[in-house]
């Protein structure tokens, strides 16, 4: 189960020497066709890294031959020199694969504000191109890791076609993507416009509902590549459903490996007037540091949930809300219900249900608690 | 320098037994006149505690005889019983002072979702009313503390008139107020409308620019009481300037005592197209957990500053921005400038200057770092 499971794809992951640890840090995924259609979603952060600026241009015409991804440096806020490094990386891939560099996407992840070593990138690209294989998906998934403790991969098997995926990301996971790089591959025979529609639909309810720490990265990119090698054309609806399942699988893996987290929190908002309201409420709770530290302390502090809801513009009456934690309704109609000490927060999973009683819409937002380990990892990251 | 420094005010602080620690937990401040004009600003949180619901009614006509404040419980999400407790507290003050309960403000702070003990409150009110004195400001400032490590007080001496103030708050300090209770007193001879204008102007650039952890409390209240006892009428402009200075003094004390903080961060945004843009940028940086943990780690990670700015809707070009930390310009025109290791973050104060080069507007936002002690205090608060 990897990005090379679908027909038509090869991949490799190598150590280019960008990471001081000498761990693998460069991944290459190539689409051998027969078609090379693609759809890409980029970070909503207006401060965009150089690989984002480059890839936005490449993706515009819906044709992508290959994607190269490096960990060990974000190449963000590195000025014109940084942009030239990205461009030269795509050119190196173009030379090695005999494709146009204008059809090569580039992704980078790591520390902001430092130049990448172009020579190392070029040697890494050569090594990766030489090592491409139909079994390379696993190595590629390893090479894109930063603070991830494990690679994240997913697979959906359709009727004669499949979707494979890999992802990295362990912090800065917030709406409109995160320090999250995702590559999805499929051998379904779909046009770029069909991929666009499917990807937007899938990302909206998966990666865009993952909010580990409220921070949005400068480098996020979710890429979907289709080779058409199966010769099968599923409907866009069928394909979108399958793609959504793969994206939710990867998003859940990202939540479960979030930096320093000791709880995975699924916030299910029910009874909202609109889906936007439901998402706003879920996100507000997901970003409330006081709630997140309480969960770390195994404290079912539902008052902090209601205080977070109170800062939203969603349609609700604070004195109509129910809050349930792991099956125990601790708050009914905005007042204490079952005793809070009946809630067992020792398991890693917390299922929080908020019922607004304002309508029929629902949404689920994934987040984590705020822990000593989160503070430790993120206070030490660049030093 | 306390709320009883201005003429016409008496105060007391007593232990009513609401806190398990038996520390002082009930404060009473009385305006003996000759005038009893008042202005009040309440939390923007839509989930409002019972004392907020009560005090909004009391404040509507601009006349306030007394304010009673308790720590040891927020009386929020406590239903109708909770509202009756607030009302009965005001009635107890009315009986003790022979004033109308409809002219008595009530403030509460502490854990959400638990009932306050009305008998203890009533006994506490009697004791406080019996102990009122012209020297009681200091005791009152102590009695409103929760996780505060010290009382916060401030004073401005005008020409024959003065403003005194006290505040509590150590977490949940966010825009549109915080778990922050503030009482300001003056013997200047001003109408309620004049006090309103002055208070809104002062709060806008002081307490509303303090954002310790992005969380907005259900119980915030800033109250300004005028006795007119000096017989002097400063201009509203003159009075607003003085009030602003007192509020900034208290806001700075709140920042310096924020829960678990090891750095006080002053974010000065310059060159913004509008003041709203400047505030949005400052607030976005103040709420970025990755930036806040980096500062805790003494890491001048300016990339996280730019990533936070990139999530705003403010007018700016990411590749025109300068960032200066404690006098060292680490980022110029969106690219690395002076080496980051020249920034000394070992002092408690960090002065961060962000120049957007998009206009002439400026704003300063006060915040803190995100530390192990913050996580510890807030994961253990209710247990």
């Amino acid at each position: 189960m990897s990005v090379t499971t679908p027909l038509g794809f090869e991949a490799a992951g190598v150590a280019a020497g960008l990471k001081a640890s000498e761990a693998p840090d460069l991944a290459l995924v190539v689409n051998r066709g027969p078609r090379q259609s693609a759809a890409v979603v980029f970070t909503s952060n207006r401060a965009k890294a150089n690989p984002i600026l480059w890839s936005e241009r490449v993706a515009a015409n819906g044709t992508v031959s290959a994607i190269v991804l490096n960990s060990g440096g974000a190449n963000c806020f590195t000025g014109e020199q940084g942009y030239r490094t990205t461009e030269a990386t795509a050119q190196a891939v173009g030379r090695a694969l005999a494709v146009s560099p204008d059809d090569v996407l580039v992704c980078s992840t790591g520390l902001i504000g430092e130049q990448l070593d172009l020579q190392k990138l070029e040697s890494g690209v050569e090594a990766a191109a030489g090592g491409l294989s139909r079994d390379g998906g696993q190595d590629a998934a390893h090479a894109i890791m930063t603070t991830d403790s494990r690679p994240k991969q997913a697979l959906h098997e359709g009727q004669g076609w499949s979707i494979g995926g890999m992802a990295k990301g362990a912090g800065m996971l917030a709406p409109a993507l995160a320090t999250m790089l995702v590559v999805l591959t499929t051998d379904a025979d779909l046009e770029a416009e069909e991929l666009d529609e499917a990807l937007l639909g899938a990302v909206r309810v998966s990666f865009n509902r993952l909010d580990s720490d409220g921070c949005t990265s400068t480098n996020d990119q979710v890429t979907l590549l289709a080779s058409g090698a199966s010769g099968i054309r599923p409907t866009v609806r069928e394909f979108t459903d399958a793609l959504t399942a793969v994206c939710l699988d990867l998003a859940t893996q990202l939540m479960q490996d979030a930096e320093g987290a000791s709880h995975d929190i699924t916030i299910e908002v029910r009874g909202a007037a609109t889906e936007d309201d439901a998402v706003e409420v879920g996100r507000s709770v997901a970003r409330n540091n006081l709630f997140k530290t309480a969960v770390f302390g195994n404290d079912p502090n539902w008052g902090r949930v209601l205080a977070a809801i109170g800062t939203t513009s969603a349609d609700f009456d604070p004195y109509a809300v129910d809050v349930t934690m792991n099956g125990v309704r601790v708050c009914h109609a905005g007042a204490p219900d079952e005793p809070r000490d009946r809630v067992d927060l020792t398991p890693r999973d917390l299922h929080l249900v908020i019922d607004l009683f304002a309508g029929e819409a629902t949404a689920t937002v994934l987040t984590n608690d705020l822990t000593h380990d989160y503070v430790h990892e993120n206070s030490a990251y660049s030093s």
Side-chain angles (χ1 to χ4, degrees), chain A:
Chain A
M1 47 179 282
S2 77
V3 292
T4 47
T5 303
L7 300 174
F9 292 93
E10 294 178 9
V14 300
L18 303 168
K19 282 180 179 166
S21 65
E22 298 184 5
D25 50 19
L26 189 136
L28 183 62
V29 181
V30 180
N31 183 354
R32 297 296 193 186
R35 72 155 66 239
Q36 296 186 315
S37 51
V40 191
V41 177
F42 297 98
T43 182
S44 66
N45 198 309
R46 295 167 62 209
K48 293 172 182 175
N50 284 306
I52 298 290
L53 296 173
W54 170 264
S55 295
E56 283 181 337
R57 282 187 43 208
V58 169
N61 72 352
T63 301
V64 170
S65 303
I67 179 169
V68 57
L69 312 92
N70 75 271
S71 49
N75 196 2
C76 181
F77 295 115
T78 45
E80 284 183 29
Q81 183 187 340
Y83 188 81
R84 286 195 301 270
T85 298
T86 294
E87 189 174 27
T89 307
Q91 287 165 343
V93 173
R95 282 193 304 275
L97 302 177
V99 301
S100 165
D102 291 336
D103 293 336
V104 177
L105 295 170
V106 181
C107 293
S108 300
T109 176
L111 188 62
I112 293 175
E114 310 225 321
Q115 298 292 345
L116 285 171
D117 184 324
L118 179 57
Q119 280 201 315
K120 289 179 178 173
L121 277 167
E122 288 177 330
S123 312
V125 166
E126 267 186 56
L132 283 168
S133 87
R134 285 283 297 136
D135 301 323
Q138 184 79 16
D139 288 348
H142 269 96
I144 60 175
M145 289 165 53
T146 55
T147 54
D148 305 70
S149 71
R150 49 187 185 267
K152 287 98 181 169
Q153 298 183 88
L155 180 68
H156 171 87
E157 299 271 15
Q159 296 286 328
W161 56 277
S162 63
I163 301 173
M166 67 178 187
K168 65 85 35 190
M172 256 200 276
L173 298 174
L177 313 185
T179 305
M180 178 168 59
L181 301 180
V182 179
V183 180
L184 303 155
T185 56
T186 183
D187 46 16
D189 190 18
L190 296 169
E191 315 266 340
E193 293 72 24
E194 296 168 315
L195 300 180
D196 261 335
E197 183 183 340
L199 187 61
L200 287 175
V203 165
R204 189 176 68 85
V205 296
S206 57
F207 300 119
N208 277 354
R209 302 236 172 124
L210 172 65
D211 193 337
S212 73
D213 60 4
C215 299
T216 302
S217 162
T218 51
N219 286 58
D220 300 326
Q221 188 170 325
V222 179
T223 301
L224 170 61
L225 305 174
S227 69
S230 72
I232 295 172
R233 284 185 58 79
T235 65
V236 174
R237 174 70 178 273
E238 182 187 3
F239 183 78
T240 302
D241 288 349
L243 190 67
T244 301
V246 170
C247 289
L248 275 173
D249 184 341
L250 290 172
T252 303
Q253 292 183 54
L254 290 170
M255 169 178 69
Q256 290 167 344
D257 196 26
E259 282 172 351
S262 71
H263 287 86
D264 301 331
I265 308 173
T266 301
I267 304 170
E268 185 183 343
V269 182
R270 298 178 184 167
T274 65
E275 189 176 335
D276 282 352
D277 274 9
V279 172
E280 186 188 359
V281 164
R283 196 156 279 166
S284 178
V285 175
R287 291 183 168 193
N288 189 281
N289 280 351
L290 290 172
F291 169 67
K292 291 157 81 86
T293 49
V295 173
F296 167 60
N298 291 341
D299 170 15
N301 194 324
W302 58 266
R304 293 177 180 179
V305 173
L306 286 172
I309 301 172
T311 64
T312 71
S313 60
D315 187 9
F316 83 109
D317 172 356
Y319 302 99
V321 175
D322 284 2
V323 177
T324 302
M325 291 183 171
N326 281 351
V328 181
R329 194 176 70 177
V330 284
C331 168
H332 175 55
D337 191 20
E338 292 189 62
R340 64 168 77 205
D341 56 15
R342 287 201 193 142
V343 181
D344 182 9
L345 289 185
T346 53
R348 186 174 172 97
D349 285 323
L350 166 58
H351 188 195
L352 173 67
V353 180
I354 299 164
D355 201 325
L356 299 177
F357 291 98
E360 301 294 321
T362 66
T364 296
V365 173
L366 307 177
T367 191
N368 299 99
D369 54 353
L370 176 56
T371 70
H372 286 303
D373 286 350
Y374 177 90
V375 173
H376 177 73
E377 278 201 46
N378 286 298
S379 59
Y381 184 77
S382 82
S383 28

